[in-house]
Amino acid sequence: MDTSRIHITPNDFLFNVDEFADGSDPRARCKLFIQPGPYGLNEVADANYYIDNRVPSHEHMNGYETFLVDKGSFEILSLSKKAPVHKGDIVHIMPFTPHSVHCLEDDSIWRAFHQGLWLTPFMIEERAFRDRHKDIYLSPEFKKANATRDKSSWYDYIIPECRDVPPEQIHCIRPYEFAFAEYSFEGISLKLKVGRWETMGLKEVWQLRLEKGFKLSWEETHPFPHLYDVFSGSVRVSLEGMEPFTANTRDLLHIPKFFKGSVEALEDTVLLDIGCQGFLTRYMDEINFYKQKEPKKLKDCAFVKEIMLKNDYHVSFELL
């Protein structure tokens, strides 16, 4: 098994391409870290913008975009409203949601986690064609005929008139402290940032806050790949057949299925569980019931594991 792409640092990108292929703003760069997997899940890229760079107002007919403000700040425009977002905020865009992004600070980083879009591979193919046939690529006829980014139609709008509102009034914005649901146990708190109802039922997105020494672990039978973003802090990663290693702030962990291992916080750490395909919300609701009503049952490992398997969730941690 190729383990070279499990620990991905910010400099360990596969491709580095210009964001705007017609050369209109060569300062904006897009770095691809992870190619899309089944259903287009877990495609990861950084877009590096400078002040006044703007993504035109548009909507996608298919696919989902989950963005993390990894550095700096942006302004989000959607459905006649606009609001700023800052480091740690998440923006989740569903199909048929008009949206535009305006960079407010130099060297801001917009980390994209795509689902069902295949955007970055298409960008690479598009630029290869541009380099071979620039005259055709820049022609209005070609642009009109190819206003599709692979499996996602791209519909451009005029620049909309928007009024300033607090971020909480724009549904796609998830401020750093926002949670649809929140659960706490000794050493860990979990915030649901993107619900399964917002991803065509394929995954959830969680923010995990781990205290120093807290450990997540999984057995070799876990059926889904894990995708973690180390938002802050650092973790010690132990995986079967590999020397333990440390993942630091801004690193990515892309762990294959059927691969036993663990992650231990070396300091107070915030992890984003970006590709949670197991039903962690259901699992947490059931566990939280027993925490309140019958806490002794949570000391029975076999009982807890039965609940985990019922909810197709496979990451273990201490509950009491």
Side-chain angles (χ1 to χ4, degrees):
M1 178 182 293
D2 179 16
T3 59
S4 62
R5 301 294 298 171
I6 287 177
H7 180 206
I8 303 170
T9 68
N11 293 320
D12 186 22
F13 50 83
L14 297 171
F15 302 101
N16 184 359
V17 299
D18 49 322
E19 173 81 2
F20 300 102
D22 60 4
S24 60
D25 201 334
R27 296 176 300 168
R29 305 294 302 178
C30 187
K31 296 178 180 179
L32 174 67
F33 295 109
I34 301 175
Q35 294 274 20
Y39 307 103
L41 286 171
N42 295 344
E43 177 185 359
V44 185
D46 275 358
N48 185 223
Y49 293 109
Y50 291 81
I51 193 165
D52 293 333
N53 286 158
R54 182 184 294 274
V55 177
S57 189
H58 65 284
E59 69 181 53
H60 301 277
M61 309 296 186
N62 306 284
Y64 302 78
E65 297 176 301
T66 304
F67 297 108
L68 167 68
V69 182
D70 200 41
K71 182 181 178 182
S73 60
F74 298 87
E75 183 178 62
I76 305 300
L77 297 84
S78 182
L79 298 171
S80 79
K81 302 173 184 177
K82 61 181 178 179
V85 290
H86 305 284
K87 181 177 173 64
D89 294 346
I90 285 175
V91 180
H92 181 69
I93 305 294
M94 293 186 287
F96 300 102
T97 303
H99 60 284
S100 178
V101 182
H102 180 201
C103 182
L104 300 179
E105 292 184 48
D106 276 343
D107 202 25
S108 291
I109 297 178
W110 186 245
R111 179 161 283 186
F113 303 93
H114 292 140
Q115 173 188 331
L117 286 174
W118 292 270
L119 280 181
T120 316
F122 179 79
M123 289 170 63
I124 295 166
E125 294 171 355
E126 183 184 40
R127 282 143 187 76
F129 177 80
R130 175 201 63 190
D131 294 342
R132 296 195 310 272
H133 303 287
K134 189 171 183 179
D135 54 337
I136 298 175
Y137 177 81
L138 293 176
S139 68
E141 295 80 12
F142 177 82
K143 287 192 173 185
K144 184 177 180 180
N146 288 272
T148 299
R149 292 196 170 182
D150 204 353
K151 295 183 181 296
S152 176
S153 297
W154 176 285
Y155 183 83
D156 285 323
Y157 287 83
I158 61 172
I159 298 175
E161 287 294 322
C162 295
R163 68 183 188 278
D164 291 305
V165 299
E168 294 79 7
Q169 291 188 21
I170 299 181
H171 176 69
C172 61
I173 297 177
R174 313 291 156 81
Y176 184 68
E177 295 296 338
F178 168 88
F180 280 120
E182 185 171 1
Y183 307 89
S184 294
F185 302 91
E186 185 176 351
I188 183 173
S189 64
L190 306 91
K191 292 177 180 285
L192 177 62
K193 308 295 284 191
V194 177
R196 190 172 295 271
W197 61 91
E198 300 180 296
T199 65
M200 204 169 63
L202 290 176
K203 71 170 189 176
E204 305 166 2
V205 175
W206 288 81
Q207 180 194 91
L208 310 180
R209 298 187 181 185
L210 311 180
E211 295 181 8
K212 181 179 178 180
F214 194 86
K215 182 183 287 187
L216 307 174
S217 62
W218 51 89
E219 298 179 353
E220 60 273 12
T221 54
H222 71 94
F224 308 119
H226 300 315
L227 176 58
Y228 294 112
D229 179 295
V230 185
F231 178 74
S232 65
S234 58
V235 294
R236 188 69 165 167
V237 184
S238 301
L239 297 172
E240 60 174 315
M242 297 177 62
E243 288 294 321
F245 61 87
T246 299
N248 297 303
T249 300
R250 301 196 66 239
D251 289 357
L252 295 164
L253 296 172
H254 192 210
I255 299 163
K257 62 183 180 180
F258 308 139
F259 212 67
K260 185 177 182 179
S262 66
V263 168
E264 181 178 356
L266 297 177
E267 57 189 303
D268 289 351
T269 296
V270 175
L271 288 181
L272 293 176
D273 186 352
I274 295 294
C276 181
Q277 292 179 253
F279 289 82
L280 180 52
T281 306
R282 294 180 187 173
Y283 175 58
M284 282 289 97
D285 277 341
E286 192 160 355
I287 289 296
N288 205 43
F289 170 84
Y290 288 105
K291 178 186 176 184
Q292 304 300 325
K293 303 295 185 181
E294 299 180 72
K296 289 183 179 180
K297 286 194 172 183
L298 298 184
K299 294 185 179 294
D300 183 342
C301 293
F303 177 77
V304 172
K305 187 169 184 178
E306 183 180 338
I307 298 175
M308 289 176 63
L309 294 177
K310 182 174 72 172
N311 292 289
D312 212 10
Y313 186 69
H314 303 270
V315 180
S316 299
F317 49 88
E318 294 295 326
L319 295 169
L320 291 174

